[in-house]
Amino acid sequence: MNLQERIARRQAARGQTGIILDRDVLSPTVHREEPVGRGSVLEQLLDAVEPTFGRGFPESFAVVGPPGSGTSAVITALFRSLTTTLGETTGTIGTTTRAGSGEPTTWFIYVDARRVSSAFAFYRTVLSIMTADSVPTGGVGTEELRDRLVSHLEPHNRRAVIAIDHHDEPETITADRVQELLDPVAQHTTVVPVGQSPPPTWEDTIIEVPPYRRHELTDILTERVSSGLATGAIEHHHVREVAEWADGNAHNALTALFTAATLASQEDQPALKSTHLERGKADVPDECIHLDRTLSLPETRQQVLCTLLALESAGIKTCQQPIRELAAAIAERSALTAGTVKRFLYELADKDVLTRVPLEVGGSGRRPSTIEPRFPPIAFQTLTPVNE
DNA sequence: GATCCACGGGAATACACGGATG
DNA sequence: CATCCGTGTATTCCCGTGGATC
């Protein structure tokens, strides 16, 4: 964080009486610039990209770690640092290996597969990072974008190291697909898959990110609350308890803490109480998916999820209603048709954003099921832009 | 140079069919 | 067999783009 950002934060915090000084610092979906407690992993990653510091080009490597182990955090921090340390002043994510040349010759490009599912979107993302001029959002064919990418790399002998994060989640673009899309420029690109497992049939280097140990997670939480919460807003033993409960999963720990802080703030409390932390932990469902998976969904889907959660607070027992009924109730409160909402709900269940639970009802015909969120509802409602 | 239009991608919607269940 | 759920897919709509046309 630079001085300007610090000043901006002070300005924003001024007059604010709540305990939350900086929501972004507490948010489970925002990575810190300097990852805590991942020193040895960073060393391994630096070994892997080492050739770039000379005139070489790194071999492919995959980054693998369980949920909440900080794989995204380390890779974004690394790519960001490589860009600012080695990069030119072009403002793009890129690095030059030749002193004096204005253009980067090797780019480090981070692609979030959650937000890139089509070939078109992939080419567009990569191009808009590499080029200064704007890339069309539509009205042009996928082949056109591919040709632009080829002519950007090939004639100038430029190269790109492309991290493809979350390649192994439902509905995201796969590492294999990315390789395929980069086939025309295979000599100029290195793909770095980042996820919970390596791509099938992966034979190159794998860098494993272990789950956080308890004290490491405590350190992470302590660092976050020290700049995100007002002084004295949380007792240290509460931080340790959350770290213990989360069992190495930083996402779950941060989500519980964020939710607790949000609740305490809404109640205008000067500090987090045990009840807030209990509710924060309870808001994280079993087998919880990452909050960012819900926040990267299209706006309409987030709207549907918001309305679904609102039904519950409107007194409708959503856990007892069949999907058909829920879809009708949601459609009534939105611009979408019931058929479309039904489609969305099944689709979201298919992507593990919702869990389908069979209902016990009489009558003939196939048994209906209902749905339950597999994401933290309070944190989602707080962070989703459609809920404003 | 202004206007028009065809095209591509993507989202919303409709629809039909397969399958589970009493 | 009747009924209704769940899913795959065709169709329609919308919007941005960029080339054709005048």
Side-chain angles (χ1 to χ4, degrees):
Chain A
M1 177 174 31
N2 62 36
L3 188 55
Q4 275 191 333
E5 284 166 350
R6 286 178 196 275
I7 292 170
R9 181 194 289 176
R10 290 298 173 110
Q11 279 179 324
R14 192 178 165 80
Q16 192 175 336
T17 53
I19 56 168
I20 297 179
L21 295 183
D22 189 332
R23 201 174 75 165
D24 281 354
V25 172
L26 294 175
S27 168
T29 62
V30 178
H31 298 304
R32 309 293 284 143
E33 276 179 37
E34 194 70 33
V36 175
R38 294 278 89 153
S40 78
V41 172
L42 281 169
E43 285 301 324
Q44 290 178 63
L45 291 170
L46 285 170
D47 286 345
V49 298
E50 175 93 40
T52 326
F53 302 144
R55 298 190 60 129
F57 195 49
E59 299 286 317
S60 276
F61 60 95
V63 182
V64 171
S69 62
T71 46
S72 300
V74 288
I75 206 73
T76 50
L78 175 73
F79 274 37
R80 193 192 291 140
S81 295
L82 284 169
T83 298
T84 50
T85 311
L86 303 174
E88 290 290 330
T89 52
T90 55
T92 61
I93 296 184
T95 159
T96 179
T97 54
R98 262 179 305 167
S101 73
E103 281 278 300
T105 54
T106 304
W107 277 271
F108 285 89
I109 296 177
Y110 173 84
V111 176
D112 183 357
R114 285 175 183 151
R115 290 171 171 82
V116 173
S117 51
S118 67
F120 183 86
F122 175 77
Y123 287 134
R124 210 194 98 70
T125 304
V126 173
L127 270 171
S128 55
I129 290 172
M130 291 202 312
T131 70
D133 33 275
S134 72
V135 184
T137 57
V140 72
T142 304
E143 287 189 7
E144 162 71 22
L145 289 191
R146 190 198 57 203
D147 294 346
R148 284 196 201 184
L149 178 64
V150 172
S151 59
H152 219 272
L153 290 173
E154 220 164 44
H156 312 285
N157 202 27
R158 294 174 181 143
R159 288 159 159 180
V161 181
I162 301 174
I164 181 82
D165 199 3
H166 314 297
H167 66 90
D168 53 350
E169 283 180 4
E171 303 288 309
T172 59
I173 196 165
T174 64
D176 282 353
R177 179 77 177 125
V178 167
Q179 290 279 15
E180 203 179 303
L181 295 176
L182 291 175
D183 207 41
V185 283
Q187 300 304 311
H188 300 261
T189 48
T190 296
V191 177
V192 179
V194 181
Q196 290 178 34
S197 47
T201 74
W202 185 259
E203 286 174 358
D204 295 325
T205 307
I206 294 175
I207 295 176
E208 298 208 23
V209 182
Y212 288 107
R213 283 172 289 183
R214 190 160 302 160
H215 71 273
E216 291 170 334
L217 196 43
T218 307
D219 287 350
I220 288 170
L221 299 183
T222 305
E223 192 269 335
R224 294 261 195 160
V225 298
S226 72
S227 45
L229 283 180
T231 312
I234 187 166
E235 293 173 40
H236 189 64
H237 73 92
H238 278 147
V239 174
R240 279 204 309 272
E241 275 167 29
V242 172
E244 190 163 335
W245 163 84
D247 196 25
N249 185 323
H251 168 265
N252 289 357
L254 285 166
T255 302
L257 210 52
F258 177 81
T259 305
T262 303
L263 292 169
S265 170
Q266 281 168 359
E267 293 172 12
D268 266 334
Q269 298 283 338
L272 273 75
K273 296 182 193 163
S274 299
T275 52
H276 299 131
L277 289 156
E278 288 311 312
R279 285 170 67 194
K281 288 187 274 186
D283 208 49
V284 179
D286 293 342
E287 301 288 305
C288 182
I289 61 164
H290 198 290
L291 193 49
D292 191 54
R293 281 200 50 207
T294 58
L295 298 176
S296 62
L297 291 167
E299 202 175 305
T300 49
R301 317 298 146 110
Q302 293 191 46
Q303 194 72 62
V304 164
L305 291 177
C306 267
T307 313
L308 174 68
L309 297 173
L311 290 179
E312 188 74 48
S313 22
I316 299 174
K317 288 258 177 270
T318 54
C319 60
Q320 293 167 16
Q321 296 287 325
I323 289 181
R324 179 176 43 83
E325 302 275 346
L326 292 173
I330 292 167
E332 219 173 274
R333 293 160 174 79
S334 82
L336 302 163
T337 65
T340 303
V341 176
K342 185 187 83 163
R343 197 79 195 74
F344 285 2
L345 291 177
Y346 282 117
E347 181 189 297
L348 289 165
D350 203 45
K351 289 194 212 175
D352 295 335
V353 175
L354 299 168
T355 309
R356 272 178 41 193
V357 182
L359 279 174
E360 299 297 325
V361 287
S364 67
R366 195 170 176 170
R367 293 249 179 84
S369 48
T370 189
I371 38 174
E372 286 174 8
R374 208 168 143 180
F375 54 91
I378 296 172
F380 169 70
Q381 286 173 306
T382 308
L383 290 173
T384 180
V386 303
N387 204 15
E388 286 170 1

